[in-house]
Amino acid sequence: MSKADKEILTAIRNRRDLERPMVSVRGLLKQVDRENYLDMCCSRLADSELLDGEDACIDFTDFPNIELSADGLQSCKSILECYISRDLLAQVYGFTCRTERMNCAINNYAEILRGMTAFQLLKAHLGMKPGEDAAVYIRAELWSRFIFAAIVRKVQYGCTKLYVHIKYHRIFRAARNAVAEGIL
């Protein structure tokens, strides 16, 4: 099963669109052995007011790291070129654009399946040959509509939320105390 097939099944089973691919400034600097310059590079990006929260946003789980989408890479290119070669930036930008296009196509495909009625899905599935990729996607869509699949999704969400709450409880407590004291 290819990576694209797995991504399509993930979008169908989770009943959510895939997120935009983001590139880590830390990862880029690590590739060229300049991770020591992370603070300086991220400070320059923040001082230039290039952080918009969508294309360029702070990664609070790995502070002071910044994550960039393809558009964010393009807007921050002038600063990033001081630390990373143009060739590497062009390769990363091309890869990010391709991944973003693929995610968009996957999201459109999953949306088409979500928009079909169960009868339409069954009719399409019966008209297919065994082993076709589309048959696997239709079966996944039909399964994701059952109550059991919804229960599994809710349990997974609850477990993830509990894990995050346990792992980052100190950060949440510090933020709550700062808000209560009027610091933030």
Side-chain angles (χ1 to χ4, degrees):
M1 184 175 282
S2 71
K3 184 179 181 207
D5 291 338
K6 290 178 185 177
E7 293 289 330
I8 291 171
L9 288 173
T10 299
I12 291 171
R13 289 180 180 143
N14 291 341
R15 313 285 294 160
R16 282 182 298 191
D17 288 343
L18 297 176
E19 295 180 7
R20 295 173 69 184
M22 300 295 272
V23 176
S24 164
V25 173
R26 180 185 302 274
L28 288 173
L29 291 173
K30 198 173 198 178
Q31 280 189 333
V32 292
D33 292 329
R34 292 196 176 158
E35 199 172 2
N36 326 6
Y37 296 102
L38 177 70
D39 290 337
M40 188 183 319
C41 180
C42 292
S43 294
R44 286 185 61 194
L45 291 171
D47 292 342
S48 300
E49 297 179 4
L50 295 172
L51 303 180
D52 59 5
E54 190 174 317
D55 294 323
C57 57
I58 297 172
D59 182 8
F60 289 104
T61 59
D62 190 20
F63 191 77
N65 191 24
I66 294 176
E67 291 190 337
L68 304 167
S69 68
D71 294 334
L73 277 169
Q74 198 64 24
S75 64
C76 299
K77 185 179 179 180
S78 61
I79 293 174
L80 291 174
E81 283 178 345
C82 298
Y83 305 95
I84 302 163
S85 70
R86 288 182 179 168
D87 295 336
L88 178 61
L89 279 176
Q91 288 175 356
V92 170
Y93 178 73
F95 176 77
T96 308
C97 288
R98 286 190 301 275
T99 306
E100 197 168 316
R101 279 193 303 271
M102 186 178 83
N103 284 359
C104 185
I106 289 170
N107 291 338
N108 289 338
Y109 188 75
E111 187 63 36
I112 289 169
L113 289 176
R114 284 185 213 127
M116 295 174 73
T117 64
F119 180 73
Q120 289 172 328
L121 287 170
L122 284 172
K123 186 176 175 183
H125 188 271
L126 292 175
M128 292 184 175
K129 297 175 186 172
E132 285 188 48
D133 288 342
V136 173
Y137 306 145
I138 289 174
R139 281 195 304 272
E141 176 61 27
L142 287 169
W143 169 250
S144 69
R145 293 183 182 191
F146 284 119
I147 188 73
F148 299 114
I151 291 170
V152 167
R153 279 192 303 274
K154 289 192 187 271
V155 168
Q156 285 176 338
Y157 174 75
C159 290
T160 303
K161 188 174 177 180
L162 179 64
Y163 172 76
V164 168
H165 183 69
I166 290 170
K167 184 172 182 178
Y168 298 111
H169 75 279
R170 290 186 184 110
I171 295 172
F172 294 145
R173 188 176 343 133
R176 199 176 311 123
N177 291 342
V179 169
E181 293 173 6
I183 296 172
L184 292 178

